[in-house]
Amino acid sequence: MICLGIESSCDETGVALIEADAQGVPRLRAQALYSQIDMHRAYGGVVPELASRDHIQRVLPLARQVMLDAQASLRDIDIVAYTQGPGLAGALLVGAGVACALGASLSRPMLGVHHLEGHLLSPFLSADPPAFPFVALLVSGGHTQLMRVDDVGSYALLGETIDDAAGEAFDKSAKLLDLGYPGGPALAELAASGDPLRFDLPRPMLRSGDLNFSFAGLKTAVMVTLRKLGVSPSEQDKADLAASTQAAIVDVLVRKSLTALQSTGLERLVVAGGVGANAMLRGRLNAEGVRRRFKVHYPELALCTDNGAMIALAAAMRWQRNLAGTRFDHDFNVRPRWPLGTA
Ligand code: KG4
Ligand code: ZN
């Protein structure tokens, strides 16, 4: 079974072809990705209208490239998948429009996929895929959630952020430190030469007794600390603040993940979404995993941030399990706001 997937929910256009063998094991045949980061950088963040227009320009050339790289023809495609939400409405419409036009012209079913489902299933394409059930820590630019995952389509929310997402905390702190957009990787890089103990930043909701998060206060604390450092903080001051910020975010993510594993009794943790690429987070979780005997699974580094492969994969896994929701009709809609686990 071969599935073409298109991702266009934010600032990356991703197209990929996934093939599942007779045993249902998925394999990535080809993928192509275009990141709009350079275009948005000048504005300090994603400009939705520019994002939509750029997706329009990229999506067909990327799809052609994928078919060429996979040495496949359009007729080989069995289903066409696209990110239906959540995301930017105009950006989502581009992928949805192309996918549904392709599905209609080939008389193939099309499947609207939840972006977060793509993220949380993406480790199934890694060399060491997880088994169900597991706890998923979803940490992206827009979401921070802990979920109990019993199977494809069976997701129970355990906790989530009540304000900023972890990626947003990275991005906003990085902006305060003048590190540009998107700030997560830049802040992590600067943190490598800093002292994480220099500034005592808050660990919001660390002891709240539930599995929810809050990161808005951390951003304020970074702002106040920067102000105290005066008009021109030294490079070392900035590195120390970056390291302290990263340590605060990672501390909370690790602590809450441990609590989620403990309260569910599960022994597998899947970490997905852009912040899952963070080396300190991975190091801390791996060390805890060895100490407390749980296994941590990640997507391949290249599949941590948005991509078409995770969308094709989620659709292929749904298809194999005969899950409802697969459509053959030609109209489409997108769902800019769409909580995972709701119909
Ligand atoms: O999953 P993703 O690509 O997009 C969304 O669905 O939001 O995640 C993007 C987020 C951004 O906030 C980015 O700064 C963050 O992931 N990120 C990182 C790292 N790489 C990406 N944050 C911390 N450390 C990283 N290495
Ligand atoms: Zn994402």
Side-chain angles (χ1 to χ4, degrees):
M1 193 276 294
I2 294 182
C3 177
L4 181 85
I6 301 178
E7 153 66 30
S8 70
S9 66
C10 189
D11 56 354
E12 257 114 20
T13 324
V15 182
L17 206 64
I18 291 279
E19 179 163 8
D21 64 18
Q23 283 73 45
V25 178
R27 178 173 72 90
L28 180 59
R29 286 216 13 204
Q31 73 152 333
L33 189 73
Y34 180 83
S35 171
Q36 305 176 350
I37 282 175
D38 285 342
M39 179 180 74
H40 296 296
R41 190 170 279 134
Y43 305 92
V46 178
V47 184
E49 184 55 29
L50 292 182
S52 321
R53 292 176 191 204
D54 204 64
H55 285 306
I56 293 172
Q57 289 191 332
R58 308 290 170 189
V59 64
L60 289 180
L62 289 175
R64 278 191 206 104
Q65 191 189 320
V66 164
M67 299 313 292
L68 206 67
D69 291 350
Q71 297 191 315
S73 90
L74 290 177
R75 293 265 144 222
D76 297 331
I77 297 171
D78 296 302
I79 48 174
V80 187
Y82 60 96
T83 306
Q84 192 173 16
L88 303 170
L92 289 166
L93 280 167
V94 178
V98 170
C100 290
L102 195 59
S105 68
L106 295 169
S107 299
R108 301 288 194 273
M110 36 260 192
L111 197 85
V113 172
H114 196 293
H115 181 81
L116 294 182
E117 182 172 45
H119 274 305
L120 74 82
L121 296 178
S122 58
F124 283 92
L125 282 175
S126 70
D128 180 26
F132 296 106
F134 54 78
V135 169
L137 172 68
L138 276 173
V139 271
S140 69
H143 293 86
T144 299
Q145 298 185 332
L146 277 161
M147 323 224 29
R148 181 194 166 103
V149 178
D150 285 295
D151 202 341
V152 178
S154 178
Y155 312 119
L157 184 68
L158 302 171
E160 64 182 335
T161 183
I162 58 166
D163 43 54
D164 289 354
E168 229 173 328
F170 269 103
D171 292 341
K172 288 178 175 172
S173 304
K175 203 168 185 175
L176 291 167
L177 286 162
D178 256 342
L179 299 177
Y181 158 86
L187 190 139
E189 200 185 322
L190 182 61
S193 54
D195 173 7
L197 300 176
R198 162 115 182 254
F199 300 105
D200 187 18
L201 298 176
R203 269 69 172 155
M205 295 182 74
L206 193 62
R207 291 178 216 294
S208 60
D210 58 22
L211 294 170
N212 291 329
F213 305 83
S214 163
F215 290 107
L218 178 60
K219 166 193 65 195
T220 312
V222 170
M223 193 160 64
V224 171
T225 309
L226 251 182
R227 237 180 247 151
K228 282 190 195 147
L229 287 170
V231 275
S232 50
S234 70
E235 276 313 301
Q236 193 56 54
D237 285 340
K238 286 170 78 172
D240 291 347
L241 187 50
S244 304
T245 305
Q246 177 177 250
I249 297 170
V250 168
D251 265 359
V252 180
L253 294 177
V254 171
R255 172 62 42 204
K256 297 271 175 172
S257 300
L258 295 181
T259 310
L261 286 163
Q262 214 166 34
S263 65
T264 55
L266 297 178
E267 291 167 350
R268 278 180 291 270
L269 177 70
V270 158
V271 184
V275 181
N278 185 270
M280 185 188 187
L281 178 64
R282 286 183 174 221
R284 285 279 305 279
L285 286 174
N286 291 343
E288 290 290 353
V290 172
R291 220 154 62 88
R292 294 168 197 260
R293 291 167 201 272
F294 64 85
K295 188 122 201 271
V296 197
H297 296 267
Y298 308 91
E300 301 294 337
L301 259 186
L303 297 183
C304 270
T305 44
D306 293 348
N307 62 82
M310 66 184 196
I311 301 305
L313 173 75
M317 291 179 82
R318 278 191 165 260
W319 181 256
Q320 283 162 350
R321 285 165 175 76
N322 258 331
L323 287 177
T326 308
R327 300 181 311 110
F328 292 85
D329 54 9
H330 300 167
D331 66 333
F332 61 91
N333 70 336
V334 295
R335 305 176 69 177
R337 288 174 191 274
W338 183 11
L340 184 59
T342 59

